[in-house]
Amino acid sequence: MASQSLQRSSTSAPQTQAASPSRAPTAQSRFGNAFLAEQLAQKGGGPAPAPDSATQSTEVAAPGTAAGDVATGSGVATGTSTSTTTGGDTGQSAVDTTLATAKIGKLPNPKPVQEGEQRRTVAGVQIIGRDVSPTALDACERFVTATIGSRPDIQKRMEEAKVALVILPRNKTMPEVAEFAGLKDETTFDGRPWAEVRGSGGRPAPGGLWAIAVPEENLIETGGTEDKYAPGYSVGLHELAHTIQSKGVSEAERAEILELYAARKKAGGPWTEAYGASNDQEYFAQATNCYFGQNAVIGHNGPAWLRDNDRPMYDFLVKLYGAAQAAPAAGPAPTGAPAADTSGHA
Amino acid sequence: MLSLFLAFSLACHRPPEAPLPDVPSWSVYDGSVLILTVVGEPGPITSTAPPPPDGRLVTHPFLSAAARDAAHEDQLGRLLRASTSMEDFLARLKAAGFRVVAE
């Protein structure tokens, strides 16, 4: 049932594998599935697919720009940026499964800031940016696809929860963005002024959205604006992981995360770093960053470290996110794998 | 001197040890919204904000806690800073109208 919902358009094409309650195999999704192969072929600017297909996305073009004129930045086609602007409900865009193995992180050579609002829906998650570079939305699309792109059940739950990644423009504080205006003049629980914080986990926002704040300067090379985070640490991935845990995974998976944390605490570690040891939410989010090689400087980094030091969590993440970015069972990391462990803590 | 410094650094980065048996914990709600989880042992306090860029963890002398809703963090932080003990904090939470549920 889960695989029917967001891939509702896939019923129009023959399925080449049995519908899985959890995930379609990556190889099938990428090349063996005739429907997805067709959609991927349309990435190069073909006509927008029919509304009941899985490839519809809504892009609200700024005045003076062409709909679908969205950067890929890195040159990697996204597959979701070429559809025409539509009104009404945002459609569900295709999942570009070639992004499953794309390196997550800052995208270089971003396109110029685009005035106005840009919106996409990828794998059930809305991506919203106002007065940001379109490349920032591309970057979000990458880590959304890499995490939940092969899990239609999670996509469905995320869509139902109206999960939205809201990009904080590089030159605006968080409270200056509409979805987070309520945080003006306030501090975090651990004492940081929200105006100085760049990102947050999900919170209710206008329109019934569950809004996750992601800083633009952490998504793209802005060439001047200081990213408070070191290269190789993804704020967006960390924050999305919190919502994946709270709203995306099944009840059984949520319980398993709690069990994994309890077991790890009983064992006394090792942890990705002290921050990841603090509670089950940070344990999961930081392990996610580590798994995707986006935990640089803050803690241990890379799937190989996780495989070798926290095998239960590693195995869980392979099941959850798929093996596309997993470390090999043994031996050296494959070509293009995330950077080697840059351990810093614990 | 160097060895003392290294020992101090290692001590600062030592992960929390496994809790003692029967460590009390609570969930705090505003209506039906979970806003805070609390454990009755000294340890880290975390926000819905991302980790600080240096990964440094803020710790507290009489509890560990994780904020679960950004909109309440400011008030919860003020209540905690005004508290002198775990019991005092729980009482302040209840006085503020939050529902405190023992786990």
Side-chain angles (χ1 to χ4, degrees):
Chain A
M1 174 176 161
S3 59
Q4 294 173 359
S5 55
L6 292 187
Q7 294 182 8
R8 49 190 175 274
S9 61
S10 66
T11 58
S12 64
Q15 293 293 323
T16 56
Q17 74 247 1
S20 163
S22 58
R23 180 194 313 119
T26 301
Q28 287 284 350
S29 300
R30 193 184 300 188
F31 302 114
N33 182 303
F35 171 73
L36 279 175
E38 177 191 344
Q39 301 309 320
L40 291 173
Q42 292 182 357
K43 283 188 303 181
D52 63 347
S53 76
T55 61
Q56 183 181 40
S57 70
T58 296
E59 191 117 312
V60 180
T65 64
D69 180 22
V70 178
T72 58
S74 64
V76 175
T78 64
T80 61
S81 307
T82 57
S83 62
T84 56
T85 301
T86 63
D89 295 337
T90 58
Q92 176 57 44
S93 62
V95 175
D96 182 350
T97 55
T98 61
L99 294 181
T101 54
K103 188 178 185 300
I104 297 173
K106 277 191 180 182
L107 292 183
N109 307 315
K111 282 205 168 181
V113 168
Q114 183 173 309
E115 289 185 7
E117 182 175 279
Q118 302 166 70
R119 278 184 184 246
R120 299 180 197 174
T121 300
V122 176
V125 174
Q126 299 181 49
I127 305 171
I128 303 169
R130 303 179 193 94
D131 303 328
V132 301
S133 166
T135 310
L137 283 81
D138 295 343
C140 288
E141 187 170 332
R142 282 194 170 205
F143 62 75
V144 170
T145 302
T147 49
I148 65 173
S150 57
R151 288 288 300 267
D153 58 323
I154 294 180
Q155 294 168 29
K156 179 173 185 283
R157 296 187 197 101
M158 301 287 265
E159 184 186 41
E160 289 172 347
K162 294 190 175 182
V163 174
L165 293 169
V166 179
I167 299 172
L168 309 178
R170 67 192 84 171
N171 57 355
K172 286 192 176 175
T173 65
M174 214 165 98
E176 290 177 313
V177 176
E179 286 80 1
F180 311 104
L183 301 177
K184 187 174 186 292
D185 299 325
E186 296 197 345
T187 63
T188 64
F189 184 55
D190 56 357
R192 292 175 275 168
W194 278 112
E196 295 177 11
V197 170
R198 301 300 288 168
S200 84
R203 66 187 298 259
L209 295 180
W210 180 257
I212 302 168
V214 184
E216 183 186 23
E217 68 278 8
N218 189 249
L219 295 167
I220 59 175
E221 297 287 353
T222 55
T225 304
E226 183 187 357
D227 181 3
K228 294 185 177 184
Y229 291 86
Y233 187 81
S234 173
V235 172
L237 179 63
H238 176 98
E239 299 302 346
L240 180 66
H242 282 317
T243 295
I244 289 172
Q245 179 182 1
S246 64
K247 296 187 182 297
V249 299
S250 65
E251 288 291 342
E253 288 170 321
R254 197 168 299 123
E256 191 172 350
I257 294 171
L258 291 175
E259 291 168 5
L260 288 168
Y261 177 69
R264 182 106 318 223
K265 209 170 178 190
K266 190 175 180 181
W271 307 94
T272 50
E273 69 291 301
Y275 201 89
S278 52
N279 53 60
D280 64 279
Q281 298 101 57
E282 300 306 338
Y283 173 55
F284 175 72
Q286 286 296 97
T288 292
N289 271 49
C290 181
Y291 181 75
F292 285 102
Q294 291 297 307
N295 200 35
V297 176
I298 284 187
H300 295 287
N301 198 24
W305 184 89
L306 210 56
R307 177 199 64 206
D308 296 340
N309 293 275
D310 189 352
R311 192 56 190 250
M313 173 53 82
Y314 172 81
D315 289 342
F316 177 79
L317 294 183
V318 170
K319 258 190 325 178
L320 175 63
Y321 296 136
Q325 304 217 13
T335 304
D341 176 19
T342 55
S343 62
H345 296 269
Chain B
M1 180 66 81
L2 178 60
S3 59
L4 281 175
F5 172 77
L6 286 174
F8 178 76
S9 297
L10 284 171
C12 288
H13 294 302
R14 182 181 305 127
E17 297 185 357
L20 295 172
D22 300 329
V23 175
S25 62
W26 299 265
S27 294
V28 182
Y29 297 86
D30 184 3
S32 61
V33 178
L34 176 66
I35 63 172
L36 187 71
T37 53
V38 187
V39 178
E41 60 178 3
I45 57 174
T46 58
S47 164
T48 60
D54 59 3
R56 191 169 28 167
L57 204 53
V58 175
T59 58
H60 196 275
F62 60 70
L63 58 71
S64 311
R68 303 299 291 271
D69 179 66
H72 288 86
E73 289 198 33
D74 184 76
Q75 182 182 14
L76 293 172
R78 285 187 279 110
L79 289 172
L80 180 59
R81 287 187 287 277
S83 302
T84 56
S85 68
M86 186 76 238
E87 294 71 29
D88 184 24
F89 181 51
L90 295 178
R92 289 176 186 267
L93 288 170
K94 292 172 185 172
F98 300 129
R99 186 163 54 97
V100 180
V101 178
E103 300 296 339

